[in-house]
Amino acid sequence: MGDFNLALLIVAIIVVVLVFVFNVYLLINYQHPDDVNQAYFPKFVVVLGLSVAVISILMLPADVANRQACRHALYNGACHLTLPMKDLWLAVYIVDAFLVFFVIPFAIFYYEGDQDKSVGKRVKSSMIWVGLTAVIVALALGILYGLAGKVDFTVRHLSSNTTSFPSSWTFSSGQPCIDNSRQCSAFLASAKSETTWTMRTTFPEYVVALATIAGSVLFTIFGGVGIACLPLGLIYAFIRRPKAVITRSQYIKEATELGKKARDLKKAADALHQEERGGSKGRKWRKNVKAVEKELHLLEEDVKALEEMYPQGEKAETVWALTVLGYLAKLVLGILGLIVSVAWIAHIVIYLIIRPPLSPFLNFVFIKLDDVWGLLGTAAFAFFCFYLLVAVVAGATMLGLRLVFITIHPMKWGATLMNSFLFNVGLILLCSISVIQFCSSAFAYYAQATAAEEIFGHTLQSLRGIKYLYKYNVFQIGFIALAMLTFVYYVAFGWRRKKPSGRFQLSS
């Protein structure tokens, strides 16, 4: 057992190092050229935030493996040599909450501050905003913890009579007790013996619980939409793919039209900039800013599509072949993703919403995969959790492009500014807490007796004032409802592509 625990520790260290290296690679390749060799603090926060999010997802399968390390222990102290998962869970999620509510807002304020000001003034301005946020959050957490930071466990007192040991032990479904009765007396306890056992939870667990609730609202909206739009978006991208290379005359015609749209957008942006200088930053101005951002994003997609339909350069044929292969890959990934999404939705319905559950479903699949190979079920388990987090990001992107009041922060290869990076990292961190809680509930049968189940199962779902959201499956039902609506939307309108309107309601 000691060798197994040491191997688990070594694997955990290697995975953490690989996660950091991979996130540095993403940062280098996604960053905007304007941020090269500068903005080091926001970059550090981005790498740290992404690493915490990924590690938190991987901790759930690690928790399962950690549980298995002492399942067949040969001596009583073997379990003390495993990883302290409960302490690690609390540490990771306290860091998660601190990054989301304090560090990332500070980094955004600092990055977007007036570049003409000195570093000291930008730091001071950012600290003031974050300090006010910290005071408000600390007061709110302290008051809520003092008033409602308790858990209410429903317990029933069971008792039975004593009897002498029989000469022979014979138990069956018809005779489960030693006194030849069909039901042991402990099972006959009346409902009046049921009572509520109340105890105060720890403050770190309470912070994790509230952060989970905040993330669950976003997770329900973005995850419900993303679980459908992620695979269907890939499939419809293949359907809307360019079927053939256009002629040079067609290219010139389309490029001229896009140039005209770009000039119109520039005029609109200049007018909005003049309004900003004049102090006219009302509701209408903000609405127009969002509209211009939306039109600009669609224009960039048009330019990309035009470049795909008319590849240029000495390797034009190779570029076109890679484009065709890329769309085929999207089709394959879309079909596989659709299978995973349907499996997720079916699992939520038959295991979480219907009581009692109709079947363990995916829990049973993971257990069978573990029987085939020790880590195969754990790897599949981690994949389903990761897929859910990716679906959240996809849902946030889709809604951000269609709802004017949501800020668009697209991630682009080689053209992502640090404020967009920080925004998306904050979103991923906030939702990752809820993804873990959701996965620990959805796969409770597979992940039973883990530290995650203790934190996100017994404590969170018994917390005063919050437990009713989980008792009546509010988040699960909302998730399924939004997923179904998104499926219907994509089937009806997904094959279309919304074109830029080119109209802006400018104040002047």
PDB file of all heavy atoms in Angstrom, residues 262-280:
ATOM      1  N   ALA A 262     -16.480  47.398 -43.124  1.00  0.00           N
ATOM      2  CA  ALA A 262     -15.433  47.795 -42.179  1.00  0.00           C
ATOM      3  C   ALA A 262     -15.373  49.308 -42.041  1.00  0.00           C
ATOM      4  O   ALA A 262     -15.191  49.830 -40.928  1.00  0.00           O
ATOM      5  CB  ALA A 262     -14.084  47.246 -42.650  1.00  0.00           C
ATOM      6  N   ARG A 263     -15.540  50.037 -43.148  1.00  0.00           N
ATOM      7  CA  ARG A 263     -15.540  51.510 -43.074  1.00  0.00           C
ATOM      8  C   ARG A 263     -16.740  52.014 -42.285  1.00  0.00           C
ATOM      9  O   ARG A 263     -16.622  52.964 -41.492  1.00  0.00           O
ATOM     10  CB  ARG A 263     -15.547  52.097 -44.492  1.00  0.00           C
ATOM     11  CG  ARG A 263     -14.214  51.948 -45.219  1.00  0.00           C
ATOM     12  CD  ARG A 263     -14.184  52.785 -46.485  1.00  0.00           C
ATOM     13  NE  ARG A 263     -15.190  52.324 -47.454  1.00  0.00           N
ATOM     14  CZ  ARG A 263     -14.960  51.394 -48.374  1.00  0.00           C
ATOM     15  NH1 ARG A 263     -13.762  50.816 -48.456  1.00  0.00           N
ATOM     16  NH2 ARG A 263     -15.906  51.042 -49.222  1.00  0.00           N
ATOM     17  N   ASP A 264     -17.895  51.374 -42.472  1.00  0.00           N
ATOM     18  CA  ASP A 264     -19.081  51.764 -41.697  1.00  0.00           C
ATOM     19  C   ASP A 264     -18.861  51.532 -40.206  1.00  0.00           C
ATOM     20  O   ASP A 264     -19.266  52.357 -39.368  1.00  0.00           O
ATOM     21  CB  ASP A 264     -20.301  50.975 -42.180  1.00  0.00           C
ATOM     22  CG  ASP A 264     -20.728  51.361 -43.582  1.00  0.00           C
ATOM     23  OD1 ASP A 264     -20.345  52.461 -44.041  1.00  0.00           O
ATOM     24  OD2 ASP A 264     -21.429  50.553 -44.231  1.00  0.00           O
ATOM     25  N   LEU A 265     -18.235  50.395 -39.883  1.00  0.00           N
ATOM     26  CA  LEU A 265     -17.949  50.120 -38.479  1.00  0.00           C
ATOM     27  C   LEU A 265     -16.970  51.126 -37.892  1.00  0.00           C
ATOM     28  O   LEU A 265     -17.119  51.558 -36.745  1.00  0.00           O
ATOM     29  CB  LEU A 265     -17.369  48.700 -38.340  1.00  0.00           C
ATOM     30  CG  LEU A 265     -18.358  47.551 -38.188  1.00  0.00           C
ATOM     31  CD1 LEU A 265     -17.626  46.217 -38.164  1.00  0.00           C
ATOM     32  CD2 LEU A 265     -19.185  47.706 -36.935  1.00  0.00           C
ATOM     33  N   LYS A 266     -15.988  51.531 -38.673  1.00  0.00           N
ATOM     34  CA  LYS A 266     -15.012  52.511 -38.198  1.00  0.00           C
ATOM     35  C   LYS A 266     -15.686  53.852 -37.927  1.00  0.00           C
ATOM     36  O   LYS A 266     -15.402  54.513 -36.923  1.00  0.00           O
ATOM     37  CB  LYS A 266     -13.891  52.682 -39.212  1.00  0.00           C
ATOM     38  CG  LYS A 266     -12.749  53.574 -38.725  1.00  0.00           C
ATOM     39  CD  LYS A 266     -11.628  53.647 -39.725  1.00  0.00           C
ATOM     40  CE  LYS A 266     -10.438  54.457 -39.161  1.00  0.00           C
ATOM     41  NZ  LYS A 266     -10.819  55.794 -38.734  1.00  0.00           N
ATOM     42  N   LYS A 267     -16.604  54.269 -38.829  1.00  0.00           N
ATOM     43  CA  LYS A 267     -17.330  55.509 -38.609  1.00  0.00           C
ATOM     44  C   LYS A 267     -18.160  55.431 -37.328  1.00  0.00           C
ATOM     45  O   LYS A 267     -18.215  56.390 -36.542  1.00  0.00           O
ATOM     46  CB  LYS A 267     -18.238  55.802 -39.806  1.00  0.00           C
ATOM     47  CG  LYS A 267     -17.486  56.176 -41.089  1.00  0.00           C
ATOM     48  CD  LYS A 267     -18.477  56.424 -42.217  1.00  0.00           C
ATOM     49  CE  LYS A 267     -17.739  56.768 -43.513  1.00  0.00           C
ATOM     50  NZ  LYS A 267     -18.687  56.978 -44.647  1.00  0.00           N
ATOM     51  N   ALA A 268     -18.830  54.280 -37.128  1.00  0.00           N
ATOM     52  CA  ALA A 268     -19.644  54.120 -35.917  1.00  0.00           C
ATOM     53  C   ALA A 268     -18.769  54.152 -34.668  1.00  0.00           C
ATOM     54  O   ALA A 268     -19.121  54.770 -33.658  1.00  0.00           O
ATOM     55  CB  ALA A 268     -20.421  52.808 -35.989  1.00  0.00           C
ATOM     56  N   ALA A 269     -17.609  53.495 -34.727  1.00  0.00           N
ATOM     57  CA  ALA A 269     -16.710  53.479 -33.577  1.00  0.00           C
ATOM     58  C   ALA A 269     -16.154  54.867 -33.286  1.00  0.00           C
ATOM     59  O   ALA A 269     -16.041  55.277 -32.118  1.00  0.00           O
ATOM     60  CB  ALA A 269     -15.562  52.492 -33.828  1.00  0.00           C
ATOM     61  N   ASP A 270     -15.834  55.634 -34.345  1.00  0.00           N
ATOM     62  CA  ASP A 270     -15.345  57.008 -34.144  1.00  0.00           C
ATOM     63  C   ASP A 270     -16.418  57.885 -33.514  1.00  0.00           C
ATOM     64  O   ASP A 270     -16.122  58.708 -32.626  1.00  0.00           O
ATOM     65  CB  ASP A 270     -14.901  57.607 -35.485  1.00  0.00           C
ATOM     66  CG  ASP A 270     -13.641  56.939 -36.024  1.00  0.00           C
ATOM     67  OD1 ASP A 270     -12.917  56.329 -35.218  1.00  0.00           O
ATOM     68  OD2 ASP A 270     -13.394  57.034 -37.249  1.00  0.00           O
ATOM     69  N   ALA A 271     -17.671  57.712 -33.959  1.00  0.00           N
ATOM     70  CA  ALA A 271     -18.763  58.499 -33.384  1.00  0.00           C
ATOM     71  C   ALA A 271     -18.956  58.167 -31.902  1.00  0.00           C
ATOM     72  O   ALA A 271     -19.181  59.060 -31.074  1.00  0.00           O
ATOM     73  CB  ALA A 271     -20.044  58.238 -34.166  1.00  0.00           C
ATOM     74  N   LEU A 272     -18.850  56.887 -31.567  1.00  0.00           N
ATOM     75  CA  LEU A 272     -18.990  56.484 -30.167  1.00  0.00           C
ATOM     76  C   LEU A 272     -17.828  57.022 -29.334  1.00  0.00           C
ATOM     77  O   LEU A 272     -18.015  57.401 -28.171  1.00  0.00           O
ATOM     78  CB  LEU A 272     -19.043  54.958 -30.066  1.00  0.00           C
ATOM     79  CG  LEU A 272     -20.312  54.288 -30.612  1.00  0.00           C
ATOM     80  CD1 LEU A 272     -20.148  52.784 -30.652  1.00  0.00           C
ATOM     81  CD2 LEU A 272     -21.522  54.664 -29.768  1.00  0.00           C
ATOM     82  N   HIS A 273     -16.641  57.070 -29.925  1.00  0.00           N
ATOM     83  CA  HIS A 273     -15.485  57.607 -29.213  1.00  0.00           C
ATOM     84  C   HIS A 273     -15.664  59.101 -28.938  1.00  0.00           C
ATOM     85  O   HIS A 273     -15.302  59.592 -27.867  1.00  0.00           O
ATOM     86  CB  HIS A 273     -14.223  57.361 -30.041  1.00  0.00           C
ATOM     87  CG  HIS A 273     -12.955  57.678 -29.311  1.00  0.00           C
ATOM     88  ND1 HIS A 273     -12.615  57.083 -28.118  1.00  0.00           N
ATOM     89  CD2 HIS A 273     -11.932  58.543 -29.591  1.00  0.00           C
ATOM     90  CE1 HIS A 273     -11.463  57.548 -27.692  1.00  0.00           C
ATOM     91  NE2 HIS A 273     -11.021  58.444 -28.577  1.00  0.00           N
ATOM     92  N   GLN A 274     -16.236  59.823 -29.888  1.00  0.00           N
ATOM     93  CA  GLN A 274     -16.505  61.244 -29.687  1.00  0.00           C
ATOM     94  C   GLN A 274     -17.544  61.451 -28.596  1.00  0.00           C
ATOM     95  O   GLN A 274     -17.428  62.376 -27.772  1.00  0.00           O
ATOM     96  CB  GLN A 274     -16.987  61.867 -30.993  1.00  0.00           C
ATOM     97  CG  GLN A 274     -15.901  61.986 -32.063  1.00  0.00           C
ATOM     98  CD  GLN A 274     -16.415  62.594 -33.348  1.00  0.00           C
ATOM     99  OE1 GLN A 274     -17.597  62.936 -33.452  1.00  0.00           O
ATOM    100  NE2 GLN A 274     -15.535  62.729 -34.340  1.00  0.00           N
ATOM    101  N   GLU A 275     -18.561  60.613 -28.560  1.00  0.00           N
ATOM    102  CA  GLU A 275     -19.569  60.707 -27.495  1.00  0.00           C
ATOM    103  C   GLU A 275     -18.941  60.450 -26.129  1.00  0.00           C
ATOM    104  O   GLU A 275     -19.289  61.107 -25.138  1.00  0.00           O
ATOM    105  CB  GLU A 275     -20.686  59.692 -27.737  1.00  0.00           C
ATOM    106  CG  GLU A 275     -21.594  60.031 -28.912  1.00  0.00           C
ATOM    107  CD  GLU A 275     -22.746  59.060 -29.022  1.00  0.00           C
ATOM    108  OE1 GLU A 275     -23.027  58.366 -28.023  1.00  0.00           O
ATOM    109  OE2 GLU A 275     -23.363  58.995 -30.089  1.00  0.00           O
ATOM    110  N   GLU A 276     -17.996  59.492 -26.091  1.00  0.00           N
ATOM    111  CA  GLU A 276     -17.325  59.192 -24.830  1.00  0.00           C
ATOM    112  C   GLU A 276     -16.517  60.387 -24.356  1.00  0.00           C
ATOM    113  O   GLU A 276     -16.522  60.719 -23.158  1.00  0.00           O
ATOM    114  CB  GLU A 276     -16.420  57.978 -25.008  1.00  0.00           C
ATOM    115  CG  GLU A 276     -15.714  57.549 -23.728  1.00  0.00           C
ATOM    116  CD  GLU A 276     -14.778  56.380 -23.964  1.00  0.00           C
ATOM    117  OE1 GLU A 276     -14.472  56.081 -25.134  1.00  0.00           O
ATOM    118  OE2 GLU A 276     -14.332  55.772 -22.968  1.00  0.00           O
ATOM    119  N   ARG A 277     -15.815  61.062 -25.272  1.00  0.00           N
ATOM    120  CA  ARG A 277     -15.042  62.251 -24.888  1.00  0.00           C
ATOM    121  C   ARG A 277     -15.955  63.374 -24.421  1.00  0.00           C
ATOM    122  O   ARG A 277     -15.581  64.155 -23.550  1.00  0.00           O
ATOM    123  CB  ARG A 277     -14.212  62.723 -26.080  1.00  0.00           C
ATOM    124  CG  ARG A 277     -13.018  61.823 -26.396  1.00  0.00           C
ATOM    125  CD  ARG A 277     -12.207  62.394 -27.540  1.00  0.00           C
ATOM    126  NE  ARG A 277     -10.989  61.620 -27.780  1.00  0.00           N
ATOM    127  CZ  ARG A 277     -10.101  61.912 -28.726  1.00  0.00           C
ATOM    128  NH1 ARG A 277     -10.301  62.969 -29.520  1.00  0.00           N
ATOM    129  NH2 ARG A 277      -9.032  61.161 -28.880  1.00  0.00           N
ATOM    130  N   GLY A 278     -17.151  63.448 -25.022  1.00  0.00           N
ATOM    131  CA  GLY A 278     -18.087  64.496 -24.620  1.00  0.00           C
ATOM    132  C   GLY A 278     -18.837  64.184 -23.342  1.00  0.00           C
ATOM    133  O   GLY A 278     -19.675  64.980 -22.902  1.00  0.00           O
ATOM    134  N   GLY A 279     -18.568  63.025 -22.745  1.00  0.00           N
ATOM    135  CA  GLY A 279     -19.216  62.679 -21.477  1.00  0.00           C
ATOM    136  C   GLY A 279     -20.590  62.065 -21.643  1.00  0.00           C
ATOM    137  O   GLY A 279     -21.303  61.878 -20.653  1.00  0.00           O
ATOM    138  N   SER A 280     -20.983  61.751 -22.871  1.00  0.00           N
ATOM    139  CA  SER A 280     -22.303  61.165 -23.116  1.00  0.00           C
ATOM    140  C   SER A 280     -22.182  59.645 -23.115  1.00  0.00           C
ATOM    141  O   SER A 280     -22.070  59.008 -24.167  1.00  0.00           O
ATOM    142  CB  SER A 280     -22.854  61.664 -24.461  1.00  0.00           C
ATOM    143  OG  SER A 280     -24.099  61.060 -24.741  1.00  0.00           O
TER     144      SER A 280
END
